[in-house]
Amino acid sequence: IRRPPRSTLFPYTTLFRSLRRTVGHLSAVFCLLFDKTGQYVFTGADDLLVKMWSTSTGRLYFTFRGASGEISDMAISEDNNLLAAGSTDKIIRVWCLTSAAPVAVLAKHTGNITALHFCPANISGVPPYLAATSGDGTVSFWKYSYKSDKHKRPVFDSEPTRYHEKMRPGGAQMICASFSPGGLFFATGSADHHVRVYMMDGKEGPVKVLEQEAHSERVDSLQWANNPTCRFASGSKDGTARSEERRVGKECRSRW
C-alpha cells in the first residue's frame, strides 16, 4: 500500500518541538502531572522521590522526600496549594506547594495506592476531599479543611469515609478512578470487572450510587465526558469499551 507523503499525514508536525530533556531521577519515572497554572511539572519515580520542575527553564525547585516505596500516583489540589503522592508503601503523603513542607501522612490503607484525585467540586455542602483507591479493595475519601486562609495549612480528618469493595476474596483491587468535571461524581474501576460511582454531596459524606459489572475482565481505564450529561466510558482488559449515562434532574445536571 502506497502511503501519502509525511507532510500529508502530519500537517502539524512543525508546530511541536522538543523543549528539553532533563535527567533528575535515579530510576524509572512512573507518573507526572502539571500544576494548575502549567508553570511547573511534577515527576514521581521508582527512586522514592517526587520532584518539581519549571516547565520554562527545566530548573529543579523542590524534591519531596519521605516515601519508602515507589511513587504510584500524584494529585494537585484545585486551589494549587497541595501536592499528594501515593506509593507502594501503602501511604499517602501531602506537601505544601509553597514551602515544600510535609503537612499530612495518611496511613490507613493496607494495599498499594493506585489512584489519587482531589475533588474539583465547588458546590455548597461539599467540603474539600482527597479521594484514594487502593489494591486492598477500598475507596477512601479524606476530608480536610484549612486552619486559616492566611497560612493554608490543611487539617485532614483522622479517619476517611471508606468503602470496602470486596465482592469476592482478592477480586476487588481498585485500578483506576476519575472525577466528573464538576466534581459531583467519582467513578472507579476494579479487578472484579465492576464500575462503581459515588456521589459527593451525601448527607453523611460521599455515598455510592452505582455498582455494576460492566465487563468480563478487569476495568483498567475510565473517562468522563465533557458535556452536561453524567456520562463516562470504561475500558477493560476484555478488549471492550463501554459507555454509561446516569439520568439526573436539572439541578443535579448543572452541578455534575
Side-chain angles (χ1 to χ4, degrees):
I1 300 175
R2 184 178 180 181
R3 294 187 176 184
R6 183 178 178 83
S7 59
T8 303
L9 286 173
F10 306 99
Y12 302 107
T13 301
T14 57
L15 297 180
F16 296 91
R17 60 187 176 89
S18 176
L19 293 177
R20 62 185 41 83
R21 180 177 181 270
T22 302
V23 178
H25 287 280
L26 300 177
S27 58
V29 174
F30 184 82
C31 51
L32 56 84
L33 79 163
F34 287 94
D35 80 324
K36 301 303 179 181
T37 67
Q39 298 180 55
Y40 306 101
V41 63
F42 298 82
T43 54
D46 286 354
D47 59 6
L48 320 184
L49 301 175
V50 174
K51 298 193 176 189
M52 175 180 173
W53 311 84
S54 166
T55 56
S56 59
T57 66
R59 174 188 172 188
L60 174 65
Y61 277 92
F62 295 127
T63 297
F64 302 89
R65 305 176 186 274
S68 58
E70 295 87 350
I71 306 301
S72 55
D73 199 20
M74 301 182 295
I76 298 288
S77 62
E78 289 301 302
D79 58 11
N80 214 38
N81 284 319
L82 303 175
L83 166 69
S87 71
T88 57
D89 64 6
K90 310 170 187 177
I91 295 175
I92 302 166
R93 293 172 176 83
V94 184
W95 294 272
C96 171
L97 284 186
T98 303
S99 64
V103 296
V105 177
L106 311 177
K108 296 294 183 178
H109 288 282
T110 59
N112 296 340
I113 306 303
T114 55
L116 283 176
H117 296 275
F118 281 95
C119 179
N122 185 17
I123 303 170
S124 176
V126 178
Y129 281 102
L130 171 62
T133 61
S134 172
D136 61 11
T138 62
V139 180
S140 299
F141 299 93
W142 296 87
K143 184 170 67 173
Y144 66 95
S145 59
Y146 289 111
K147 280 187 175 180
S148 68
D149 291 335
K150 181 179 179 180
H151 298 291
K152 288 289 185 179
R153 183 176 179 84
V155 178
F156 284 80
D157 286 359
S158 58
E159 294 288 338
T161 299
R162 174 168 294 178
Y163 289 87
H164 293 266
E165 308 294 11
K166 293 190 175 181
M167 301 203 54
R168 55 179 179 267
Q173 176 187 6
M174 292 296 156
I175 297 175
C176 55
S178 178
F179 270 108
S180 63
L184 184 59
F185 296 101
F186 184 66
T188 64
S190 73
D192 66 359
H193 317 165
H194 279 66
V195 168
R196 297 172 177 87
V197 178
Y198 307 84
M199 189 165 66
M200 301 303 295
D201 65 347
K203 292 182 179 180
E204 303 298 327
V207 58
K208 183 163 58 179
V209 294
L210 174 69
E211 183 173 69
Q212 180 174 313
E213 186 167 6
H215 296 274
S216 60
E217 262 288 0
R218 71 183 190 187
V219 182
D220 50 25
S221 56
L222 283 169
Q223 181 64 52
W224 286 89
N226 292 306
N227 58 39
T229 59
C230 291
R231 179 181 299 168
F232 66 92
S234 59
S236 170
K237 188 181 177 182
D238 64 12
T240 66
R242 178 170 175 171
S243 179
E244 304 285 346
E245 179 175 329
R246 177 175 172 80
R247 297 188 180 278
V248 295
K250 182 178 180 181
E251 178 185 0
C252 185
R253 184 176 292 117
S254 67
R255 303 164 66 201
W256 79 282

